[in-house]
Amino acid sequence: MSTQELASSAEPSPEPSPGPVDVEQAEAALVEHYPRLVRIAYLVLPPSLGRNRRVLTAHALVQRSLPRRRISGTTVPRSRRAEDAVDPGYAYVRGEVLRQALTAGLPLRRRALPRRAQFPPLLPQVWGLRLFPRAGGADELALDQRLSALSGPARAAYVLRGLERQGDPEVLRVLAAAGVEDPEAALAEADGVEAQYVLLESPEFDPCSLQARPTDLMRRRQHGKAVLAAAAAAVVCGALLGLPGDGWGRNGAAAPSYARNPAAEAALDPAGLKRVGPTDWRVSSRTDFTVWPARGELTGDSALLRRALAVWARPGPSVRASATPGTPPGPPMGSPQLLFAGRVDAARVVLFHDGLRVVRYAEPVDDTSGAALDFARTDGADAVGSAALVVSRAAGNVRYVTAPWVREAAVRDLLAPGEAARVLARDAYGVTEPMPSPMTARAGTCTSWSALQVRDGSGVRLLADLGELAPARLTAGAPARPVDVADAPGAAGRAEWARTACRLPELASRGVRAVNAWAYAAQQLPEGGGRAEWSCVRAETWRGTGSRSLALFHAPGAPAGTPALAARSEGSLACGAREARVLAGVVWQSRAGQWYVVAAGSPDFASLVLSGGVRARSEGHVLAVRAAPGNRAELTGTLADGTRLTALR
């Protein structure tokens, strides 16, 4: 158990009337809300800057928004509605960010001196890399295009409405304070864009969660050679002009990057793609991606396949690329296997497999600009791990293409374990109809969690969308003998996932292969507080490393699906098949107001000990002892063989 300070929660107090803003107050607001302020700047900046410069400029504008001295209260506009009220320090910094972002979008004038915000940022600066946010879906791309058609003030109005949840009167006051000449016109222009405010919180518009790609390598090499030659000529006065040409470099006889190479060109030829027959999986000794047949109405579109392979090998600056952790995003190693090529929603989608990775290429139906490229590691996949892949995310929904051995697909709500699964229709190519994606739900809301249920020849499996190409398998039970929660023996497992499903977003975008939920202990709380349960959720990854374990505390009366997080561990063996044990604790307050330290270990713990600010010992694997607010304690446990272990951390 990580040390915790005992403190009771307090209801938020009404915002005080605006007063002077100290530099320290503004700095505290900037640090606390830095990701949100950078997102606001990124959305308001003109898209014509390019995504790399928008990212760097957004960070620069926020970092330059601190006042140099104490600001009088009249500088910060006062909110008239309680729901629009914000911290004065945050209001001042946000106003400075908006003012600079709007200035950066103004055109340069011949007779006027340019302002600082109109120059490329000096800091932060990145050399040799292009940075851009993680790729979103078709909806985010469409919203970005619509926002790019607005003026800067109109984009600011849209962001204040959607991201800051402000009413129109407050939006007008904030725009006026930021220097907008006609706030009402900006608000009217923003009315022309559909109110898809939830998309503003998408990773597509998050300049703090970035992808990196190299700049133009050939141009860098050419410029580097030119600079080196000029410097050498200036130093030795032309003495090196008579030396031989390039000679042997660090790569020996290897050709420069992106050079024309017969083997590399063969891998990018659509005619060389590996295609598996529609019934080969029935007679194969393997049941994985290698026996997926090539499906979709566009498998014969050579132009589309050539574009997809070319973008895979050499993604341009307009391509939105993403890769799960531990997945190399490089070009194909030989001719890949074609899994799918077809039109899904408003995009043309192609899926490849090269033995190590699944690669998804998507482009809008009416254009080839704004293409997306996603990489996911899938080596070692079995029949369940290769049962489905994501082909589309749009309008808060997700669509899968299922393996040929999947006999039935359905949707199951993890928060309603007693309800039957709803059958999910599929077309002739195995593409499902849209189903809700819990990964697009607004942060802090969890009223349902839709999972994909698939039935094959050996049973029923449950797969969860964690924001990646390959959904994660859900199991429950002791780590040494987990069971699939969709099968009849998994009824207890479904009940366990109903209590823990809303914690799944903490495992998203980590390259997760499977997640197991294990109810490892239960205890009666003091003062008739009822029965509390403890569980451990462990996520295993495709790459083998980077697993995450969560120890969860289910207090009586707590909302379903949202247990308290007792401890979290990265890369630990706890809760796994190799070390099927766990120990954790939390502080809990009774109805009478008394605080307790409660802790529980898996059944193989013989005793638990608290030390530090709270001292206690309990025989068995559960403990509950009184504590005072502010006390800190360390939890350890002893196994039956005398081995001493610390709490999960």
Side-chain angles (χ1 to χ4, degrees), residues 82-96:
E83 56 268 32
D84 290 334
V86 296
D87 171 61
Y90 174 70
Y92 172 81
V93 175
R94 182 186 61 193
E96 285 296 295

Side-chain angles (χ1 to χ4, degrees), residues 474-483 485 492-501 507 515-522 533-539 548-554 563 573-584 600-605 621 639 648:
L474 298 183
T475 59
R481 298 179 303 279
V483 299
V485 297
R494 289 195 295 272
E496 177 61 27
W497 273 113
R499 294 191 292 267
T500 59
L507 309 175
V515 187
N516 184 63
W518 173 34
Y520 68 86
E533 297 186 352
W534 296 81
S535 63
C536 189
V537 174
R538 180 179 174 87
R548 173 175 284 188
S549 299
L550 307 177
L552 305 176
F553 175 69
H554 307 264
L573 294 177
C575 295
R578 296 176 59 185
E579 189 174 306
R581 60 178 68 95
V582 61
L583 172 63
S602 47
D604 48 355
F605 279 90
H621 65 105
L639 302 179
L648 185 71

Side-chain angles (χ1 to χ4, degrees), residues 4-46:
Q4 303 184 42
E5 181 172 349
L6 308 179
S8 59
S9 60
E11 292 294 328
S13 58
E15 183 200 13
S17 59
V21 178
D22 294 323
V23 177
E24 293 79 9
Q25 183 181 4
E27 181 183 16
L30 187 150
V31 172
E32 180 181 359
H33 302 286
Y34 185 84
R36 191 173 192 86
L37 291 167
V38 176
R39 187 187 291 261
I40 292 173
Y42 181 86
L43 287 165
V44 176
L45 284 169

Side-chain angles (χ1 to χ4, degrees), residues 558-647:
T562 54
L565 179 63
R568 174 169 48 205
S569 177
E570 307 289 338
S572 169
L573 294 177
C575 295
R578 296 176 59 185
E579 189 174 306
R581 60 178 68 95
V582 61
L583 172 63
V586 297
V587 291
W588 172 80
Q589 188 178 32
S590 68
R591 296 188 184 93
Q594 175 63 49
W595 287 98
Y596 288 86
V597 175
V598 293
S602 47
D604 48 355
F605 279 90
S607 63
L608 306 182
V609 175
L610 279 176
S611 59
V614 181
R615 294 181 175 273
R617 178 182 177 88
S618 173
E619 298 299 325
H621 65 105
V622 297
L623 175 148
V625 60
R626 291 193 177 198
N631 284 351
R632 296 177 178 271
E634 291 291 336
L635 175 64
T636 58
T638 304
L639 302 179
D641 61 2
T643 303
R644 185 180 178 186
L645 299 175
T646 59

Side-chain angles (χ1 to χ4, degrees), residues 92-432:
Y92 172 81
V93 175
R94 182 186 61 193
E96 285 296 295
V97 170
L98 288 174
R99 181 184 61 79
Q100 295 182 83
L102 292 172
T103 300
L106 296 177
L108 295 174
R109 305 196 180 193
R110 181 172 299 177
R111 297 185 179 181
L113 292 176
R115 301 182 184 181
R116 183 182 181 185
Q118 294 175 286
F119 286 106
L122 296 177
L123 290 175
Q125 192 61 259
V126 178
W127 296 91
L129 289 175
R130 293 182 293 105
L131 301 178
F132 45 88
R134 300 178 68 88
D139 287 350
E140 288 86 349
L141 175 61
L143 177 60
D144 191 37
Q145 292 174 343
R146 287 193 291 270
L147 291 178
S148 66
L150 299 179
S151 64
R155 284 194 300 274
Y158 190 90
V159 171
L160 289 172
R161 272 178 169 175
L163 200 61
E164 295 292 275
R165 306 291 190 269
Q166 291 187 337
D168 287 356
E170 180 65 11
V171 171
L172 293 174
R173 284 192 293 275
V174 174
L175 291 178
V180 176
E181 295 181 357
D182 192 349
E184 294 183 354
L187 204 59
E189 185 180 356
D191 288 336
V193 178
E194 182 182 358
Q196 295 179 299
Y197 298 141
V198 67
L199 298 180
L200 296 178
E201 299 181 1
S202 165
E204 171 78 15
F205 306 114
D206 184 7
C208 292
S209 179
L210 301 172
Q211 299 287 324
R213 290 293 180 274
T215 54
D216 191 325
L217 301 181
M218 286 297 293
R219 181 174 298 177
R220 281 169 50 187
R221 174 173 291 185
Q222 293 168 358
H223 289 178
K225 287 182 178 180
V227 171
L228 181 61
V235 172
V236 301
C237 302
L240 298 181
L241 293 178
L243 292 179
D246 292 339
W248 293 98
R250 56 182 291 185
N251 295 323
S257 301
Y258 301 100
R260 299 179 67 85
N261 177 279
E265 289 186 341
L268 304 182
D269 184 2
L273 287 171
K274 299 175 184 177
R275 299 171 185 253
V276 177
T279 60
D280 289 358
W281 65 273
R282 298 182 182 274
V283 296
S284 173
S285 60
R286 301 178 59 171
T287 308
D288 53 23
F289 288 116
T290 61
V291 293
W292 268 43
R295 291 175 292 171
E297 70 272 25
L298 300 180
T299 53
D301 190 338
S302 297
L304 169 64
L305 299 179
R306 188 178 300 277
R307 286 197 303 274
L309 290 169
V311 170
W312 180 358
R314 302 181 302 276
S318 64
V319 177
R320 296 172 301 163
S322 68
T324 57
T327 304
M333 300 170 290
S335 298
Q337 176 188 352
L338 177 63
L339 303 181
F340 176 84
R343 177 170 176 168
V344 184
D345 296 327
R348 288 183 287 263
V349 179
V350 183
L351 292 175
F352 298 110
H353 178 247
D354 68 353
L356 174 69
R357 305 164 295 179
V358 166
V359 180
R360 175 183 177 270
Y361 169 82
E363 65 181 27
V365 171
D366 54 357
D367 195 2
T368 57
S369 62
L373 191 65
D374 302 306
F375 297 86
R377 186 169 173 174
T378 57
D379 52 316
D382 55 10
V384 180
S386 58
L389 290 172
V390 171
V391 289
S392 173
R393 299 182 194 277
N397 295 319
V398 61
R399 300 180 70 176
Y400 297 92
V401 56
T402 56
W405 53 84
V406 172
R407 300 177 180 178
E408 181 186 79
V411 183
R412 179 179 288 278
D413 185 0
L414 294 182
L415 299 188
E419 295 182 4
R422 175 177 63 85
V423 175
L424 199 60
R426 296 180 293 167
D427 63 16
Y429 306 114
V431 178
T432 68

